[in-house]
Amino acid sequence: MARLIESLATTEALAEVFSDTSIVQAMLDFEVALARAEARAGIVPKSATDRIAAAAHASEFDVPALSRGMFRAGTLSIPLVKALTEKVKAEDVDAAGWVHWGATSQDVADTALVLLLKRTRTIISRDLKRLEKALSALSGKHKKTVMLGRTLMQAAPPVTFGLKVAGWLGAVKRSSRHAESAFEEAQILQFGGASGTLAFLREKGSVVAHGLAKELGLRCPEAPWHTHRDRLANLVCSCGVLTGSLGKMARDISLLMQTEVAEAAEPGGEGRGGSSTMPHKRNPIACALTLAAAERVPGLVAGFLSAMVQEHERAVGGWQSEWPTIASIVQATGTAAASMAEVAEGLSVDPARMRENIASTKGQMFAERTIMLLAAELGRDAAHKLLENALQKAAAQKKSLSTVLAELPEFSSRLSRAELDKLEVPELYLGSAEVFREALVKKEGK
Amino acid sequence: MARLIESLATTEALAEVFSDTSIVQAMLDFEVALARAEARAGIVPKSATDRIAAAAHASEFDVPALSRGMFRAGTLSIPLVKALTEKVKAEDVDAAGWVHWGATSQDVADTALVLLLKRTRTIISRDLKRLEKALSALSGKHKKTVMLGRTLMQAAPPVTFGLKVAGWLGAVKRSSRHAESAFEEAQILQFGGASGTLAFLREKGSVVAHGLAKELGLRCPEAPWHTHRDRLANLVCSCGVLTGSLGKMARDISLLMQTEVAEAAEPGGEGRGGSSTMPHKRNPIACALTLAAAERVPGLVAGFLSAMVQEHERAVGGWQSEWPTIASIVQATGTAAASMAEVAEGLSVDPARMRENIASTKGQMFAERTIMLLAAELGRDAAHKLLENALQKAAAQKKSLSTVLAELPEFSSRLSRAELDKLEVPELYLGSAEVFREALVKKEGK
Amino acid sequence: MARLIESLATTEALAEVFSDTSIVQAMLDFEVALARAEARAGIVPKSATDRIAAAAHASEFDVPALSRGMFRAGTLSIPLVKALTEKVKAEDVDAAGWVHWGATSQDVADTALVLLLKRTRTIISRDLKRLEKALSALSGKHKKTVMLGRTLMQAAPPVTFGLKVAGWLGAVKRSSRHAESAFEEAQILQFGGASGTLAFLREKGSVVAHGLAKELGLRCPEAPWHTHRDRLANLVCSCGVLTGSLGKMARDISLLMQTEVAEAAEPGGEGRGGSSTMPHKRNPIACALTLAAAERVPGLVAGFLSAMVQEHERAVGGWQSEWPTIASIVQATGTAAASMAEVAEGLSVDPARMRENIASTKGQMFAERTIMLLAAELGRDAAHKLLENALQKAAAQKKSLSTVLAELPEFSSRLSRAELDKLEVPELYLGSAEVFREALVKKEGK
Amino acid sequence: MARLIESLATTEALAEVFSDTSIVQAMLDFEVALARAEARAGIVPKSATDRIAAAAHASEFDVPALSRGMFRAGTLSIPLVKALTEKVKAEDVDAAGWVHWGATSQDVADTALVLLLKRTRTIISRDLKRLEKALSALSGKHKKTVMLGRTLMQAAPPVTFGLKVAGWLGAVKRSSRHAESAFEEAQILQFGGASGTLAFLREKGSVVAHGLAKELGLRCPEAPWHTHRDRLANLVCSCGVLTGSLGKMARDISLLMQTEVAEAAEPGGEGRGGSSTMPHKRNPIACALTLAAAERVPGLVAGFLSAMVQEHERAVGGWQSEWPTIASIVQATGTAAASMAEVAEGLSVDPARMRENIASTKGQMFAERTIMLLAAELGRDAAHKLLENALQKAAAQKKSLSTVLAELPEFSSRLSRAELDKLEVPELYLGSAEVFREALVKKEGK
C-alpha cells in the first residue's frame, strides 16, 4: 500500500519497522542465526555459516522480484531463501547447500514477524510511557479544576478535570500493562520444520531450537505453533483494547475542543490543525488520527481472530492473511499512542471557560444536590416533587436555581441562606472525586 | 505498508492503482479539472489554468515530504495543494492564487479516491469476466461428470461437477452484478467547499460542479456527500459479498485438492505451489490467497461501516480512517478475482478419481434412493426400518449396499435385479441437477 | 437471549417476528406448502396433505424440547420434522410417511428464515417511509433556518438546517432503496433435497419447486443455494449501510442536543429521556439506541460475511452460525429506523439558538467570505495575509470580525460600509445550499 | 431473541445465566446490597433495608413491562428501580425513599452484568477443565499413533496424533489462562453516582463502595469506570482468542471426519449427528457448533471494541450497545468449550486408518527424508535433483518411493537395503514430536 494511503495510519518509525528492507533483514537474521545454531550443534560447517552471514544483507536483495515471487509462492520465504541460496552459491557451492537447513517457510516468516513485533513494542512502549507521565502531571495540575460532568452529553453534576484525566490514565495504564504482557508472550521463536517435528534434524531438533532462540534473543516455546496463533491473537487484541482506551480519550478531547465548548485544545504545532483563515482555531487532528485508529482496529482484530481457525500443520488462507492485518493493527495502535502522547504533553486547558460552562447551566445541574439537602427532612419523593416546580420556574424565567429557591417559601424555610449561597458552588459537590483521582494516579496499572 | 507485507494481498495492477504517484496524479487531475471548469464559468483566468496544468505532474512531487505533511495536517490535500501552489507560484504568482479555488480538502481527496476506484473497477471487471467465461465452459464440459455430494463434509447422494461449478458461477455472476452497480454509483464527484454549500463560488457553484464532473468523467451528485458515505459503503460491501463468494469456491477447490480426495488441482504454473521434493504435488496457493482475502475483508468492511457515523459537515476520525480500509478491500477483492480466474482457466479435474471416491463409499450414499424405490409400496417409515439392518450389514461386511440388498429376501423380493443393478449408478440419481445447472449458466446474474 | 438483554436492540414488532412461535410456524408453513405442491404434482395423496395441515399449529409444539433437540441435531428442522411427523402419525400413520417428502433440513430452515425476513421487510419499510416523509417535511420547513456549519466539530461557514436534514434524507433514501432491493432478491425459495439435486423427486423436482414457491409467495430461484449465501449477505450488508446512515443522523442530533449547543431535541415522550431532577432536559435516548445499533451492526455484518465460505453442498459451521447474526442485524436496523422516524416526526428545533451560536463566533467563520470579497482585487494570498492580522485582533479584543475590519483602513478602504454590514449575515453566504437541498429532497433515492 | 434462534449459539446453562429472571435478580441483589452497605455506613435506616430486601424477588416483577420501559428509558435500571420502589412503597412509604440511594442507573446495570459474568465464568471454567483433562489423556494415549502431517491440506511428513492433540491442548491452556485472568479482573463493582464522584454520598462514598463490593463478593476498583470499558473489552477479547483456539481444534476434527479421511469421529450420542439412512455415519455437529461460534465471535468482539469510544461520564450509544454483544460472546464461547469437551471425551480415533492414509501416499511424503540421508554425501542440491526423477517414476508407475529407489542404481548404491526398508516407516521420521508433545502436556498454560 502506498505510503500516502497509509500516512494517517502509521508513524514514520512504525512504517520503517515494517519496511521492505526491515522485513527482508529480519528473515535473513533468522537464516544466519539458524546456521550458527546448527554449526554449534555440529550440523552445519562453520565455513558455510560465515558464507551465509556474508550474503545476508537486505539492501542487496531485489524487492520487486521478491514481491512477485512471494505472490506466486504464497509466502516470502520461498523466493527469499532461493535468492539467498543463489547469493551464497555464487561464492561457495557447498555452503549454499546448508542455507535454511531443516527449516520450513513458516519458520522464517513467523520468526521474522516476531522480530519486527519486538521492535514495534519498544516504540509503542516509549510513547505510552510519555503519555502516562504527561497524564499523571496533567491530572495533578488540575485536581481542583472543576468542570461540568456530562452524561449522554447532557450537563450533570460537576467533576474535576483532574479526575477526567485520571480516568484516561487508569485505562491507559491497564491497557498498556496488558499490551506489554501480550507482546512479551509473543516474543517467541517459530521453528518446527516441514510438519512441526523437526524430523529433518533427527534427535538434534530441540538443541538447535534453543540455540536459535538464544541467538535471536527470543524465548523458545515448548513446541512449534504454526497453526496455533493464540499468542499473536492476544497481542492484536491487547492493541485493540489499548486503541479503544486511547479513542475514548480522543473522543472526550475532541468534544471539549468544540467551538461551543472550548474547554481544551490540542497543542497544534507545525503543520497541524491550524487554519489560515481562522488563525485562533485548532482542528483536533491528533484526536482525529486516534479516532481513525479506533474505527479501523476493531475490524482488523476481527479479521485476525477469524483467521485463527487454521488447518492441521499449515493453514490454507488463515496464515496467509495475517501480515497486513497485524502490521495495520500495531501501526494504528502506535499512531494513536504517539498522537495522544503529543496531545497530553501539550494540551491547552481553559479552567475559566470550564467554570463559565457550569455557570451557564444556571444551577440546574445542582438539582440533585438540593434533593440531597432536603431528603433527610422530607423524604426523597416529596423533595423531588417540590423541586420540579422550582426547576420549571427557573428554566422559564432564565434564573438560576438558587435564586428561584430563595424566592420560594417552601425552600427558603428549609434551606438556610448559607446553604442556598453554597448550592451552586461546584467545589462543594465533588464527593469522592479526589479520592478516586488519587487512587487512579497511584495505581500500578491493574 | 511495505510491498512485501501486502504482496499476498494485492495484484501488481491494483498495487499500482494505489501507488503514491497514482494518488498524487489523481489529486492533481482534480485541481486541473477544477481550474478548467472554473475558467469556463468565467471565474478563473484561462492563463492561470494553463499554469496549473503545467505544474500538475505527479512525478515532480516529493512523496516523503507530502507524507509527513499529511500526517500533520490530517489529510493529503493540505500539503499537496500547498506544494502545487508553490510550483505554480514559481512560474506565475497570480496563477497561484487560483489553485484549488473554492474547493475544500475533502473535495480533492474524495474525488481522487473515486478516480482511483474507477480504475480499480476496470481491472476487477476484466478478471471477473475471465472467471465467468472459464466457469461457464468448465461447467458445460463437466455436465455429466458425477461426483460425491458432500454435506457437512460427509458423503451424500451424487452431484455433477458441472452443477458444482455452475453454483460457483451463479454466485459470482450475482455478486459481480452488484459490485458493478455499486462501483457505478460511486463514480461521482465530490465538490462542496468548506461547509458543503459552495458558498465561495456564490451562485456559480452548481455550474462549476457540473463542469468539473464532466471534465473528470464522473457523475455529478445532487449535493456534496462529505459525511454521507453510503455509496462507498455499498461499494465495499459489494466487495465483501463478492470475496465471500470467491472464498466459497476456493474452499471447495482446496478441499477437492486434499491428498485424500484428489479430484481437482489448481493449474500451478511458474513459482506456484510446486514442491521440489514432491514434484507431482500442487499446493492450493491461489485458493490460499483467495481464502486469505475472505478472512480479511469482512473485518475491513466492518471498519468501513462503523466509520460511517460521521459528524456534521466534516468528520473527526471517521473520514480519516477510510483510505487504508477501502484500498485494502478492493485490492483483496481483486486478488481473489484474479486468483480464481487463473484457477478456473487452468483447473485440472480428475473424473476417474471422482468416480472412485463414489465407489469407495460402497453405495451407502444410495440408501436414500432405496427408500424412494420402496416407499411407494411400504411407506417411508417401514422402508427405513428395513434398510437400517441392511446398511449395518453392508458396513460390517465391507460389502456394497446393493450386494447386501440382493442377498436379503425382503429386498430381493421387492426390487428387481435390474433395479438393484442400477441402484448405485450415480448417473441415475441426479434428479434435476442438469436443469439447475443450465438455469445457472444461462441466468444473467440476477 | 433474554428479552431484557436485547430490549434496547429490537422493537417489539421485530422481536415478535423472530419469536419461537413465529419461527416454528414459518417452518410448519413450509411443510404444509410442500405437501400441497407435491399433491398437485401427483406425488403426495391429498388426504395426507390435509392431515399435515391439521397438525401444523405452532402453538401445539413444545419449544423447550425443540430447543434441546436443535442443539443436539445442529438444526431445528430435525426435531421439528420429527415432532410434526409424530403429531400426524397420531392421527394417520400413512399420512405421516409423507411429511417433509423429498426435502432436506436446510430447505425448511432457510425457507422459514426467508419468510420471516419478508415480514421484517414490511415492518422496516413502513418505518423508513415514515422517516422519509418526516425528514422531507422538516427539511422544507427549515430551508431558511441558518446554523453553523461544523467541520471537525469546529465552526465553519453557515449551512441551513434544511440542508442538513436533506443530507440525512438523501442517505436514507439511497440506503432504503438498496435495502428494499436486497430484501426483494432474498425473497426466494430454498428447495434442493439432500445434495441440492432434488433427486428424491426424480424428474418432478422442478415442478414441485415452482409450485412450492407459488404456494409460499416466494420467487423460485434457478437452483438451490444451500451454500451460496450471497443474497442473504447482500441483505445484511444493505442493513449495515442503512444503519450507518441512520447512525450519522443520530450522531448529528445528539451533538445538537448537547447542553452547550442546544439547537435541537428529541421528542421525548412517555418514559423517554426525561429526568425528574432536571425536568426541562431530554436525554438523546432514541439517538443512543440508533448509535448502539450502528456500533453493533458492522461486526455482525463481518460475522455474516466471513461465514459465507461454506463447504461443498452443506456447510460445517458457516450455515449454523447465521440465524442469530441475521436476526440481530435486521432487528437492530429496524430499531434504528423506528427510532429515527420517531425523532424526525417530533424533533424540536430552536432556530433562535442556532442564530445565537453563529453570533457567538463573532464572525470568525466569515473570514473565508472576506477573502472571497478581496481576492479579486488583491489576489488570494495577499488577502489572506491582510486578514490574519485582523482575525487575531478580533480574537484578542473579543470583537466581531466586521467591527475590526471597519476599524482597519486597509479593509475599510476596500470594502464598502454595506459590504461590511452584510459580511456576517449568514443568509448571504449560503451559496448553493438551497439548490442542493431541493435536489436531495426531490431525488428518488438513486 | 427467541430461544430457537439462538439454540445453536448457547448451552442451556448459559442461556439460564442471561435469562430475564437472572438479570432482574442480579439488579435486585445490587439494590439490596447497596441498602445494606449504606445502612452499615449510617445512611439508610436498617428497617428500610429489610423492606427493600423483602421486595427484591425477581419472580414478582413484570418482565414485559420492564422490557417496554427499558426500550423507552434506554436502560433497564430506570423501570426496574421504579418498580422496586413501588413495591417497597406499597409496604412502607418511608423505606421507598431509600431505594437506589446515591446510585445511578449505570451502577446497577453494570454491576448486575458483572455478577452474571461471574456465574458465566464458573460454567465455562468447568468445561475447559473437562476439555483439558480429556485432551491430556487423549494425547498420552496416542503418543505413538502415527498419522500424516498435512500442510496446506497436502500430505507432509508424519506426525503423531498425540502431538496434534497436545497442540490443541497447549492453545486451550494458554487461552484459558488468559480468559480466567480477564474474568477475574472484570469481577469488579461499578458504583459512582450521577457523574462518577458519588457526590450524593458526600464524604461517605468510598466507605459505601467498599462495603457494597464486599457484600456482593466483588473487588472494589480505584474509581468508577462508567466510560472506561477496557476490563470488559479484555474479557471479550480473551473469549475471542479462546473461541479461535477451539475453532482450530474443531476444524481439524471435522477434516479428519471427512468420508475420504475417516481417521476420527465425534462421539455422537443422543440426537446428535446420526443419519437414519446412513447409520454408520456421524455428522460433525459439535464441531459445527464450535466453528459457528468461531465465525460469529470475531465480529462481536469488533462490535465491543468499537463501542469503547464512550463520551465523557456516560456514553450515547456505546454503553447501550454492550449487553447483547457481551452475552452473545460468552454464550458462544461457552458453547464451543462445552462442545469440544464433549468431543474430546468421546472422540473415536482410528489408528489403522491413519496408517492406511500414510501408506496410500506411496512414500512420496518421505522424499524429504531421502534428501536428509543423501545430503551428507552429495549435498542437498544434488540429492534433490537425483530424487526428482525417482519421484516422477514412482508417481507414474504408482509404485512406492522406496521400491523405485531400490530399482535405481544411483540410490541403491548409496542407501543400504536396511535404509531403504526403513525409509517409509513413519515412526522413524518423527524427530522431536514426542519431546514437543510432552512439553505441551506438562506446561502450565503459559
PDB file of all heavy atoms in Angstrom, chain A residues 1-2 6-7 12 18 67-68 71 272, chain B residues 1-2 6-7 12 18 67-68 71-72 272:
ATOM      1  N   MET A   1       0.846  -1.193   0.000  1.00  0.00           N
ATOM      2  CA  MET A   1       0.000   0.000   0.000  1.00  0.00           C
ATOM      3  C   MET A   1       0.881   1.243   0.000  1.00  0.00           C
ATOM      4  O   MET A   1       1.887   1.290   0.707  1.00  0.00           O
ATOM      5  CB  MET A   1      -0.880  -0.005   1.240  1.00  0.00           C
ATOM      6  CG  MET A   1      -2.079   0.878   1.119  1.00  0.00           C
ATOM      7  SD  MET A   1      -3.128   0.601   2.548  1.00  0.00           S
ATOM      8  CE  MET A   1      -3.676  -1.100   2.199  1.00  0.00           C
ATOM      9  N   ALA A   2       0.519   2.179  -0.811  1.00  0.00           N
ATOM     10  CA  ALA A   2       1.361   3.354  -0.972  1.00  0.00           C
ATOM     11  C   ALA A   2       1.497   4.082   0.362  1.00  0.00           C
ATOM     12  O   ALA A   2       0.599   4.068   1.200  1.00  0.00           O
ATOM     13  CB  ALA A   2       0.751   4.276  -2.006  1.00  0.00           C
ATOM     14  N   GLU A   6      -1.502   5.326   3.575  1.00  0.00           N
ATOM     15  CA  GLU A   6      -1.491   4.959   4.995  1.00  0.00           C
ATOM     16  C   GLU A   6      -0.810   6.001   5.877  1.00  0.00           C
ATOM     17  O   GLU A   6      -0.539   5.735   7.041  1.00  0.00           O
ATOM     18  CB  GLU A   6      -0.812   3.608   5.164  1.00  0.00           C
ATOM     19  CG  GLU A   6       0.625   3.628   4.674  1.00  0.00           C
ATOM     20  CD  GLU A   6       1.434   2.441   5.162  1.00  0.00           C
ATOM     21  OE1 GLU A   6       0.859   1.437   5.585  1.00  0.00           O
ATOM     22  OE2 GLU A   6       2.673   2.553   5.104  1.00  0.00           O
ATOM     23  N   SER A   7      -0.564   7.179   5.345  1.00  0.00           N
ATOM     24  CA  SER A   7       0.163   8.173   6.144  1.00  0.00           C
ATOM     25  C   SER A   7      -0.557   8.555   7.421  1.00  0.00           C
ATOM     26  O   SER A   7       0.074   8.891   8.415  1.00  0.00           O
ATOM     27  CB  SER A   7       0.432   9.444   5.324  1.00  0.00           C
ATOM     28  OG  SER A   7       1.612   9.272   4.585  1.00  0.00           O
ATOM     29  N   GLU A  12       6.076   7.406  11.256  1.00  0.00           N
ATOM     30  CA  GLU A  12       7.227   7.047  10.407  1.00  0.00           C
ATOM     31  C   GLU A  12       8.035   5.914  11.022  1.00  0.00           C
ATOM     32  O   GLU A  12       8.526   5.027  10.324  1.00  0.00           O
ATOM     33  CB  GLU A  12       8.121   8.271  10.202  1.00  0.00           C
ATOM     34  CG  GLU A  12       7.490   9.271   9.245  1.00  0.00           C
ATOM     35  CD  GLU A  12       8.525  10.232   8.665  1.00  0.00           C
ATOM     36  OE1 GLU A  12       9.672   9.816   8.372  1.00  0.00           O
ATOM     37  OE2 GLU A  12       8.192  11.411   8.518  1.00  0.00           O
ATOM     38  N   PHE A  18       8.159  -1.917   9.464  1.00  0.00           N
ATOM     39  CA  PHE A  18       7.537  -2.834   8.507  1.00  0.00           C
ATOM     40  C   PHE A  18       7.905  -2.477   7.058  1.00  0.00           C
ATOM     41  O   PHE A  18       7.137  -2.761   6.139  1.00  0.00           O
ATOM     42  CB  PHE A  18       6.025  -2.869   8.711  1.00  0.00           C
ATOM     43  CG  PHE A  18       5.638  -3.555   9.994  1.00  0.00           C
ATOM     44  CD1 PHE A  18       5.459  -2.829  11.161  1.00  0.00           C
ATOM     45  CD2 PHE A  18       5.523  -4.937  10.042  1.00  0.00           C
ATOM     46  CE1 PHE A  18       5.129  -3.474  12.353  1.00  0.00           C
ATOM     47  CE2 PHE A  18       5.197  -5.582  11.233  1.00  0.00           C
ATOM     48  CZ  PHE A  18       5.004  -4.852  12.390  1.00  0.00           C
ATOM     49  N   SER A  67       8.824  -9.689  -4.334  1.00  0.00           N
ATOM     50  CA  SER A  67       7.384  -9.476  -4.229  1.00  0.00           C
ATOM     51  C   SER A  67       6.636 -10.345  -5.234  1.00  0.00           C
ATOM     52  O   SER A  67       5.642 -10.998  -4.897  1.00  0.00           O
ATOM     53  CB  SER A  67       7.079  -7.992  -4.461  1.00  0.00           C
ATOM     54  OG  SER A  67       5.696  -7.791  -4.511  1.00  0.00           O
ATOM     55  N   ARG A  68       7.138 -10.354  -6.455  1.00  0.00           N
ATOM     56  CA  ARG A  68       6.489 -11.198  -7.461  1.00  0.00           C
ATOM     57  C   ARG A  68       6.563 -12.672  -7.079  1.00  0.00           C
ATOM     58  O   ARG A  68       5.598 -13.418  -7.189  1.00  0.00           O
ATOM     59  CB  ARG A  68       7.112 -10.968  -8.837  1.00  0.00           C
ATOM     60  CG  ARG A  68       6.625  -9.694  -9.517  1.00  0.00           C
ATOM     61  CD  ARG A  68       7.106  -9.615 -10.970  1.00  0.00           C
ATOM     62  NE  ARG A  68       8.571  -9.543 -11.046  1.00  0.00           N
ATOM     63  CZ  ARG A  68       9.277  -8.409 -10.977  1.00  0.00           C
ATOM     64  NH1 ARG A  68       8.672  -7.231 -10.830  1.00  0.00           N
ATOM     65  NH2 ARG A  68      10.582  -8.442 -11.051  1.00  0.00           N
ATOM     66  N   PHE A  71       4.084 -13.544  -4.343  1.00  0.00           N
ATOM     67  CA  PHE A  71       2.694 -13.697  -4.796  1.00  0.00           C
ATOM     68  C   PHE A  71       2.483 -15.076  -5.423  1.00  0.00           C
ATOM     69  O   PHE A  71       1.440 -15.697  -5.275  1.00  0.00           O
ATOM     70  CB  PHE A  71       2.349 -12.597  -5.804  1.00  0.00           C
ATOM     71  CG  PHE A  71       0.902 -12.569  -6.196  1.00  0.00           C
ATOM     72  CD1 PHE A  71      -0.043 -12.024  -5.335  1.00  0.00           C
ATOM     73  CD2 PHE A  71       0.473 -13.082  -7.404  1.00  0.00           C
ATOM     74  CE1 PHE A  71      -1.395 -11.995  -5.681  1.00  0.00           C
ATOM     75  CE2 PHE A  71      -0.873 -13.056  -7.763  1.00  0.00           C
ATOM     76  CZ  PHE A  71      -1.804 -12.503  -6.901  1.00  0.00           C
ATOM     77  N   ARG A 272      -0.044  21.408  11.819  1.00  0.00           N
ATOM     78  CA  ARG A 272      -1.138  20.654  12.431  1.00  0.00           C
ATOM     79  C   ARG A 272      -2.324  21.517  12.820  1.00  0.00           C
ATOM     80  O   ARG A 272      -2.221  22.363  13.716  1.00  0.00           O
ATOM     81  CB  ARG A 272      -0.609  19.930  13.668  1.00  0.00           C
ATOM     82  CG  ARG A 272      -1.698  19.182  14.413  1.00  0.00           C
ATOM     83  CD  ARG A 272      -1.224  17.905  14.999  1.00  0.00           C
ATOM     84  NE  ARG A 272      -1.213  16.818  14.024  1.00  0.00           N
ATOM     85  CZ  ARG A 272      -0.813  15.572  14.308  1.00  0.00           C
ATOM     86  NH1 ARG A 272      -0.341  15.296  15.507  1.00  0.00           N
ATOM     87  NH2 ARG A 272      -0.859  14.638  13.384  1.00  0.00           N
TER      88      ARG A 272
ATOM     89  N   MET B   1       2.498   0.734   4.010  1.00  0.00           N
ATOM     90  CA  MET B   1       2.858  -0.657   4.306  1.00  0.00           C
ATOM     91  C   MET B   1       3.767  -1.184   3.213  1.00  0.00           C
ATOM     92  O   MET B   1       3.525  -0.973   2.024  1.00  0.00           O
ATOM     93  CB  MET B   1       1.587  -1.502   4.353  1.00  0.00           C
ATOM     94  CG  MET B   1       1.749  -2.792   5.084  1.00  0.00           C
ATOM     95  SD  MET B   1       0.119  -3.528   5.294  1.00  0.00           S
ATOM     96  CE  MET B   1      -0.603  -2.360   6.432  1.00  0.00           C
ATOM     97  N   ALA B   2       4.782  -1.867   3.647  1.00  0.00           N
ATOM     98  CA  ALA B   2       5.774  -2.299   2.677  1.00  0.00           C
ATOM     99  C   ALA B   2       5.134  -3.225   1.648  1.00  0.00           C
ATOM    100  O   ALA B   2       4.192  -3.950   1.934  1.00  0.00           O
ATOM    101  CB  ALA B   2       6.903  -3.025   3.397  1.00  0.00           C
ATOM    102  N   GLU B   6       2.294  -6.793   1.953  1.00  0.00           N
ATOM    103  CA  GLU B   6       0.985  -6.941   1.317  1.00  0.00           C
ATOM    104  C   GLU B   6       1.044  -7.694  -0.010  1.00  0.00           C
ATOM    105  O   GLU B   6       0.044  -7.711  -0.731  1.00  0.00           O
ATOM    106  CB  GLU B   6       0.367  -5.558   1.106  1.00  0.00           C
ATOM    107  CG  GLU B   6       1.219  -4.679   0.230  1.00  0.00           C
ATOM    108  CD  GLU B   6       0.488  -3.439  -0.268  1.00  0.00           C
ATOM    109  OE1 GLU B   6      -0.533  -3.078   0.307  1.00  0.00           O
ATOM    110  OE2 GLU B   6       0.977  -2.851  -1.256  1.00  0.00           O
ATOM    111  N   SER B   7       2.171  -8.318  -0.289  1.00  0.00           N
ATOM    112  CA  SER B   7       2.274  -8.976  -1.597  1.00  0.00           C
ATOM    113  C   SER B   7       1.226 -10.048  -1.813  1.00  0.00           C
ATOM    114  O   SER B   7       0.811 -10.293  -2.940  1.00  0.00           O
ATOM    115  CB  SER B   7       3.665  -9.588  -1.789  1.00  0.00           C
ATOM    116  OG  SER B   7       4.557  -8.615  -2.252  1.00  0.00           O
ATOM    117  N   GLU B  12      -0.327  -6.910  -8.726  1.00  0.00           N
ATOM    118  CA  GLU B  12       0.528  -5.766  -9.082  1.00  0.00           C
ATOM    119  C   GLU B  12      -0.286  -4.627  -9.686  1.00  0.00           C
ATOM    120  O   GLU B  12      -0.048  -3.457  -9.410  1.00  0.00           O
ATOM    121  CB  GLU B  12       1.621  -6.189 -10.076  1.00  0.00           C
ATOM    122  CG  GLU B  12       2.698  -6.992  -9.394  1.00  0.00           C
ATOM    123  CD  GLU B  12       3.984  -7.041 -10.210  1.00  0.00           C
ATOM    124  OE1 GLU B  12       4.377  -6.003 -10.818  1.00  0.00           O
ATOM    125  OE2 GLU B  12       4.594  -8.114 -10.255  1.00  0.00           O
ATOM    126  N   PHE B  18      -3.073   2.143  -6.510  1.00  0.00           N
ATOM    127  CA  PHE B  18      -2.981   2.854  -5.232  1.00  0.00           C
ATOM    128  C   PHE B  18      -1.543   3.217  -4.880  1.00  0.00           C
ATOM    129  O   PHE B  18      -1.205   3.333  -3.708  1.00  0.00           O
ATOM    130  CB  PHE B  18      -3.643   2.028  -4.132  1.00  0.00           C
ATOM    131  CG  PHE B  18      -5.138   1.962  -4.274  1.00  0.00           C
ATOM    132  CD1 PHE B  18      -5.748   0.929  -4.972  1.00  0.00           C
ATOM    133  CD2 PHE B  18      -5.940   2.977  -3.761  1.00  0.00           C
ATOM    134  CE1 PHE B  18      -7.132   0.893  -5.139  1.00  0.00           C
ATOM    135  CE2 PHE B  18      -7.322   2.957  -3.918  1.00  0.00           C
ATOM    136  CZ  PHE B  18      -7.911   1.913  -4.608  1.00  0.00           C
ATOM    137  N   SER B  67       4.027  12.982   2.602  1.00  0.00           N
ATOM    138  CA  SER B  67       3.594  12.035   3.623  1.00  0.00           C
ATOM    139  C   SER B  67       3.709  12.660   5.014  1.00  0.00           C
ATOM    140  O   SER B  67       2.790  12.548   5.826  1.00  0.00           O
ATOM    141  CB  SER B  67       4.459  10.772   3.523  1.00  0.00           C
ATOM    142  OG  SER B  67       4.174   9.911   4.590  1.00  0.00           O
ATOM    143  N   ARG B  68       4.828  13.317   5.258  1.00  0.00           N
ATOM    144  CA  ARG B  68       4.996  13.968   6.567  1.00  0.00           C
ATOM    145  C   ARG B  68       3.949  15.060   6.766  1.00  0.00           C
ATOM    146  O   ARG B  68       3.345  15.191   7.822  1.00  0.00           O
ATOM    147  CB  ARG B  68       6.405  14.540   6.706  1.00  0.00           C
ATOM    148  CG  ARG B  68       7.457  13.485   7.070  1.00  0.00           C
ATOM    149  CD  ARG B  68       8.791  14.121   7.406  1.00  0.00           C
ATOM    150  NE  ARG B  68       9.349  14.860   6.271  1.00  0.00           N
ATOM    151  CZ  ARG B  68      10.118  14.296   5.321  1.00  0.00           C
ATOM    152  NH1 ARG B  68      10.420  13.003   5.356  1.00  0.00           N
ATOM    153  NH2 ARG B  68      10.581  15.029   4.322  1.00  0.00           N
ATOM    154  N   PHE B  71       0.515  13.600   7.575  1.00  0.00           N
ATOM    155  CA  PHE B  71       0.367  13.139   8.961  1.00  0.00           C
ATOM    156  C   PHE B  71       0.096  14.325   9.883  1.00  0.00           C
ATOM    157  O   PHE B  71      -0.686  14.223  10.836  1.00  0.00           O
ATOM    158  CB  PHE B  71       1.637  12.400   9.398  1.00  0.00           C
ATOM    159  CG  PHE B  71       1.512  11.755  10.751  1.00  0.00           C
ATOM    160  CD1 PHE B  71       0.808  10.563  10.890  1.00  0.00           C
ATOM    161  CD2 PHE B  71       2.087  12.322  11.878  1.00  0.00           C
ATOM    162  CE1 PHE B  71       0.685   9.955  12.141  1.00  0.00           C
ATOM    163  CE2 PHE B  71       1.955  11.728  13.130  1.00  0.00           C
ATOM    164  CZ  PHE B  71       1.257  10.539  13.262  1.00  0.00           C
ATOM    165  N   ARG B  72       0.718  15.447   9.598  1.00  0.00           N
ATOM    166  CA  ARG B  72       0.499  16.622  10.440  1.00  0.00           C
ATOM    167  C   ARG B  72      -0.876  17.239  10.176  1.00  0.00           C
ATOM    168  O   ARG B  72      -1.554  17.680  11.101  1.00  0.00           O
ATOM    169  CB  ARG B  72       1.591  17.686  10.186  1.00  0.00           C
ATOM    170  CG  ARG B  72       3.017  17.241  10.506  1.00  0.00           C
ATOM    171  CD  ARG B  72       3.220  16.802  11.939  1.00  0.00           C
ATOM    172  NE  ARG B  72       2.922  17.846  12.914  1.00  0.00           N
ATOM    173  CZ  ARG B  72       2.828  17.624  14.218  1.00  0.00           C
ATOM    174  NH1 ARG B  72       2.995  16.406  14.717  1.00  0.00           N
ATOM    175  NH2 ARG B  72       2.550  18.587  15.048  1.00  0.00           N
ATOM    176  N   ARG B 272       4.566 -21.356  -8.573  1.00  0.00           N
ATOM    177  CA  ARG B 272       3.340 -21.532  -7.785  1.00  0.00           C
ATOM    178  C   ARG B 272       3.101 -22.967  -7.340  1.00  0.00           C
ATOM    179  O   ARG B 272       2.843 -23.847  -8.138  1.00  0.00           O
ATOM    180  CB  ARG B 272       2.155 -21.066  -8.621  1.00  0.00           C
ATOM    181  CG  ARG B 272       0.821 -21.262  -7.897  1.00  0.00           C
ATOM    182  CD  ARG B 272      -0.154 -20.164  -8.172  1.00  0.00           C
ATOM    183  NE  ARG B 272       0.054 -19.007  -7.335  1.00  0.00           N
ATOM    184  CZ  ARG B 272      -0.681 -17.887  -7.405  1.00  0.00           C
ATOM    185  NH1 ARG B 272      -1.620 -17.795  -8.306  1.00  0.00           N
ATOM    186  NH2 ARG B 272      -0.441 -16.861  -6.597  1.00  0.00           N
TER     187      ARG B 272
END
